[in-house]
Amino acid sequence: MRVVQPLFQPGIYYNYKANQHLSNAQKDARDAFTRQLTADIKSAYFNYQKAGQVVTLLNNTTPVLEENLRVSKSLFDNGSRTQETVFRAEAELADLEQQIAEAERNRILAANYFNFLLNKPFDSPIANSDPEKLIFPNPIPVEEAYARAGEYREELKQLENAVKASGSSVGAAKSRFLPGVSLVFDYGFQGEEYRFTSDDDYWMGSAVLSWNLFNGGQDKAKLQKARLEKQSLQTTQQELGLQIRMQVDEAHQNLLVAGSAITSARKSLERNRKSFRIIEKKYANGLSP
């Protein structure tokens, strides 16, 4: 039986720190995947809701175009319109039917993808929400968004731990040039026969100094490799930081454009409602088709 207690072995410390940082990096990778999956699920849900709204919009348009076709035929029969009016109304209704079929397909595909992300059967029911109750977030200043991304993005933390692990690997490579000191205790039995008595046992304690003075340049090569890996990770870290800033800037601009589009759409909706009411009154009085 041999018991070895290292007294001075820098490589053990650096290897321990490197594995600790790599373990943290793996946790960061898991957290990054969780955050991305959450974002994908939310996006998939909103896309499903959007596809459903398109289907509802087109279905609500059908009675209007059917009424337009009926009136066009009536006007043509009475000689007030040419036949091209009927053809145009029929074409619009046929085009709408095609749009409804495509919208239904998109809604089904969106539902399938959402259930896929939740690891559910594709035909699982999905709860609908009222779009009018959705709260549009107030955009924060872009500089604050940069700061939050730099603080909370797990990808940056993952690379930071990877850089620390590579630094520990550099330390471990350097420690190969240093001596190692250990205490060793041996206990056993010896003799010409298999006897395990107090007359046949022995023990020995010793201090062992080991120093590898020459290893054919392998230690130096490993040190250079560790340094290059660290430099590569640092470059990747800087590149990732710039990529995340670009992502934040794009998301911030998209949010601003979406807010502007909502405001414009609401104004357009109100104008179209008023215009439709005026045309509806004219139609009821026979003044407009």
Side-chain angles (χ1 to χ4, degrees):
M1 180 180 65
R2 167 169 289 186
V3 178
V4 180
Q5 174 60 53
L7 296 182
F8 180 76
Q9 294 285 353
I12 295 178
Y13 168 78
Y14 286 116
N15 286 326
Y16 167 76
K17 296 299 293 184
N19 286 318
Q20 189 178 44
H21 293 312
L22 289 176
S23 176
N24 292 334
Q26 291 178 350
K27 293 178 181 178
D28 293 330
R30 179 200 60 192
D31 294 340
F33 176 80
T34 301
R35 178 188 289 269
Q36 185 60 50
L37 179 60
T38 302
D40 290 343
I41 291 174
K42 289 183 178 181
S43 296
Y45 179 75
F46 287 128
N47 286 334
Y48 167 76
Q49 291 290 316
K50 182 170 64 175
Q53 288 295 312
V54 172
V55 172
T56 301
L57 168 66
L58 296 177
N59 286 331
N60 290 340
T61 306
T62 301
V64 179
L65 293 188
E66 289 176 344
E67 176 66 8
N68 181 51
L69 177 60
R70 186 191 68 80
V71 173
S72 297
K73 288 181 177 180
S74 178
L75 292 175
F76 170 71
D77 292 339
N78 294 326
S80 300
R81 292 288 189 276
T82 59
Q83 194 172 13
E84 65 177 294
T85 304
V86 179
F87 291 155
R88 184 170 60 250
E90 290 176 342
E92 290 177 349
L93 187 58
D95 182 62
L96 178 65
E97 292 174 352
Q98 177 64 26
Q99 293 182 41
I100 291 176
E102 293 179 356
E104 285 285 359
R105 179 201 63 188
N106 293 336
R107 185 184 65 82
I108 293 174
L109 292 178
N112 290 346
Y113 182 63
F114 176 73
N115 284 322
F116 163 75
L117 291 177
L118 295 181
N119 198 25
K120 290 183 176 181
F122 288 166
D123 56 353
S124 298
I126 302 175
N128 292 316
S129 60
D130 185 1
E132 296 298 329
K133 294 182 179 180
L134 295 177
I135 300 176
F136 186 79
N138 294 322
I140 62 176
V142 67
E143 292 298 331
E144 183 179 347
Y146 291 150
R148 289 190 183 183
E151 182 178 359
Y152 295 110
R153 287 291 290 267
E154 293 83 1
E155 300 94 321
L156 288 174
K157 295 179 181 179
Q158 180 183 359
L159 265 179
E160 181 180 355
N161 279 300
V163 170
K164 291 179 179 179
S166 65
S168 297
S169 296
V170 171
K174 287 181 178 179
S175 68
R176 294 176 180 272
F177 297 95
L178 301 175
V181 180
S182 302
L183 289 180
V184 180
F185 176 79
D186 292 306
Y187 178 78
F189 297 88
Q190 62 183 0
E192 297 179 354
E193 299 178 358
Y194 288 103
R195 292 187 304 180
F196 303 96
T197 66
S198 58
D199 295 329
D200 300 294
D201 66 343
Y202 76 95
W203 65 270
M204 179 176 62
S206 57
V208 179
L209 170 67
S210 60
W211 196 349
N212 190 359
L213 298 178
F214 180 73
N215 197 20
Q218 295 183 28
D219 293 338
K220 184 177 181 180
K222 290 180 179 179
L223 176 59
Q224 292 176 345
K225 179 182 177 182
R227 286 173 173 170
L228 289 174
E229 287 179 351
K230 182 179 180 180
Q231 292 175 0
S232 177
L233 286 171
Q234 288 174 333
T235 301
T236 304
Q237 188 180 26
Q238 294 174 356
E239 181 182 358
L240 179 61
L242 293 176
Q243 289 178 353
I244 289 180
R245 284 182 67 90
M246 291 175 58
Q247 291 175 2
V248 170
D249 188 63
E250 181 181 1
H252 188 265
Q253 294 299 324
N254 290 341
L255 184 61
L256 295 177
V257 171
S260 177
I262 290 176
T263 302
S264 176
R266 284 173 177 166
K267 293 180 180 179
S268 178
L269 174 62
E270 185 59 29
R271 288 194 297 267
N272 288 332
R273 279 175 173 168
K274 292 179 180 179
S275 176
F276 187 80
R277 283 196 292 267
I278 293 174
I279 294 176
E280 194 175 28
K281 290 180 180 179
K282 287 183 177 181
Y283 166 73
N285 295 320
L287 301 176
S288 174

